[in-house]
Every structure is written in C-alpha cells, then in structure tokens.
Amino acid sequence: MTPQFWLWLGFSGMSVGAALILFIGKRRTRAEEADTIIHGLVPIIAACSYLAMASGQGSVVLPAGPDAGAATRAFYFARYIDWSFTTPLLLLGLANTAMHSGMRRPAIVWGMIGSDLIMIVTAFVFGLTQVAWLKWTWFAISCGAFLGVYYGIFVQLREENARERDDVRAAFLRNAVFLSVVWLAYPVVLLLGDDGLGLLGPALGLGIIAILDLVAKVVYGLMATMQTAKRVERDLREGHPVAGGAGRPHLAAAE
C-alpha cells in the first residue's frame, strides 16, 4: 500500500463516517443535538485534513535527520491542525457523557482541553525539530501533557460521573477506556515513525495513523452517538425535565 492509498482511504472513510453519524444522530433534546453535531464535526474536520494531505497541500518536505545527508521525509502538518480541533471536541463529548445530568464543572473540561492542546503543539514541534536533545525534550513534554489529559478523564471526570445513574456511569467508563486505549497508540507511532526514530517507513506509519483516526473518530463517534440516543430515550421515558444536562427536551414532540 502506498502513502497516497492511506490518505485517500482516510478521506473517504471520514466522509462516509460523518454522513452516517449525522444521519443516525437524533435531536430530541439540546444535549442530544449538541452530541450529534460534535461527533459529526469530528470526521468532517478530519476529512478536510486527509484531503489536504492527499492532494499535497497538507505536508512539507524536511530533512530525514541531522545525519541523513540528502535524504528527506514528508512532514504532515495538516494532521496536527486536525487534532487541534477534533481531540478537544471528543473530550467535550466525553465530558457531556460523564456529566449527563448537567455540566457542573466546566473548569475540568477546559483543563483537559488545555493539556490536550499543549500535547499537540509540542508534538508538532517535536516533528519539526532536527536537533536530537531538543526533539526528545519536546516529545517528553508532549507525553507529560498527555498524562494530564488522562488525569482529567480518569480522576476528575470519574469523580463527577460517580454522581450519575448506573447506565450513564457504564457508558462513560466504556467510552473513556475505548478512546484512551486508541489514543495511547498515537505517541508510539509518532515515536517509531518518520517524525521520530524512522523505523516504520512512510506508508506503514501513515496506514497506522489512518486506521487509528478512523477508529477514534468514526467508530467511536458512531458508538457514542448511539449510546447517547439510548440515554435520552430513558430520560424521555422516565419524564426527566432535563435530558442530558443541556436544557429541556425541545424536539421530542416533533418526533
């Protein structure tokens, strides 16, 4: 498989995934509508990123390393722009699941998003840097910020999620573990790929990232959207005045 194959596969998969999420997502409450839009936007943004990379507009050619002579590598900067928008949206969706009955501590969400953006920006600089000690310093800082995101998910959000009913707690834990396991593979691929040690090769590195992206943005988005629909169905069936913590049901009568 060539690098172009994986880039066009990423574009096609994200486009189809966005259409599916927006098609199956319901809008019976404000929270459900927000969840549908969040998880629909994620693959739309990613599709734009993959289109830019596949068409040659989302990458630049850099030296393969300080001792590589004339050897070069493609640096796909568009993926970092993608991640700067999509991962905060995924964290927001996860926080909405954790605090289904109401967004009680928005500072937690801002803290996670802040750590997430630090992680992405420093990973971007890691990929650009040619000086070895600086390169790995940036990588270490990025990994440290990544741990901050995990702290927000599994400590702070879980504390708030403990106040929710059983199905909400189960959904949050399932989503948090799924997303966190997939995300854990990204720094490993960056470490071993062309931006790091160069052990994977261009096509394999792109292929693994494309599959991870499709799982984290399309598969997870579909799963989260369907789970939200089940929770809102229970809210409406039991007559909760606030469904999903973001206002009263406002479209249920129309459906």
Side-chain angles (χ1 to χ4, degrees):
M1 304 293 185
T2 66
Q4 288 299 107
F5 169 83
W6 292 112
L7 293 174
W8 285 114
L9 177 67
F11 169 70
S12 302
M14 293 298 177
S15 301
V16 173
L20 284 174
I21 291 170
L22 293 172
F23 178 76
I24 69 169
K26 299 181 180 180
R27 296 164 178 82
R28 294 166 295 181
T29 70
R30 293 173 186 170
E32 190 175 39
E33 182 176 56
D35 191 77
T36 297
I37 292 171
I38 286 170
H39 289 106
L41 275 176
V42 166
I44 289 174
I45 295 168
C48 293
S49 168
Y50 272 95
L51 177 60
M53 291 188 288
S55 62
Q57 296 177 311
S59 63
V60 294
V61 176
L62 296 177
D67 302 318
T72 60
R73 63 184 171 97
F75 178 66
Y76 294 94
F77 63 85
R79 66 167 53 138
Y80 296 94
I81 299 174
D82 165 357
W83 294 340
S84 295
F85 287 96
T86 55
T87 52
L89 286 172
L90 289 170
L91 286 170
L92 178 59
L94 188 61
N96 284 336
T97 298
M99 294 179 275
H100 180 70
S101 61
M103 184 62 70
R104 296 177 292 274
R105 293 176 64 190
I108 292 176
V109 183
W110 287 113
M112 288 193 303
I113 290 175
S115 295
D116 178 59
L117 291 175
I118 292 170
M119 174 188 70
I120 294 166
V121 170
T122 51
F124 172 78
V125 179
F126 154 77
L128 283 175
T129 303
Q130 299 298 315
V131 180
W133 74 268
L134 271 175
K135 186 178 189 71
W136 297 112
T137 298
W138 285 119
F139 183 78
I141 294 171
S142 182
C143 291
F146 196 17
L147 293 177
V149 175
Y150 275 23
Y151 176 82
I153 294 173
F154 288 104
V155 177
Q156 295 176 309
L157 282 186
R158 276 200 86 179
E159 288 175 355
E160 292 303 312
N161 181 245
R163 300 167 59 180
E164 302 289 340
R165 65 181 192 239
D166 55 353
D167 63 323
V168 176
R169 294 197 302 271
F172 167 72
L173 184 59
R174 186 183 309 115
N175 289 2
V177 170
F178 184 97
L179 200 57
S180 297
V181 169
V182 175
W183 278 355
L184 191 61
Y186 281 88
V188 177
V189 178
L190 292 180
L191 172 66
L192 299 178
D194 282 357
D195 292 349
L197 298 174
L199 300 179
L200 296 180
L204 181 57
L206 282 174
I208 296 173
I209 291 289
I211 292 170
L212 289 173
D213 276 347
L214 288 169
V215 173
K217 296 167 184 176
V218 174
V219 176
Y220 174 79
L222 289 167
M223 181 181 77
T225 300
M226 289 186 287
Q227 288 177 356
T228 298
K230 291 180 180 179
R231 294 193 301 276
V232 172
E233 284 171 7
R234 177 171 172 177
D235 289 337
L236 297 175
R237 186 173 62 249
E238 296 179 357
H240 292 296
V242 178
R248 63 183 176 82
H250 68 299
L251 295 176
E255 296 189 5

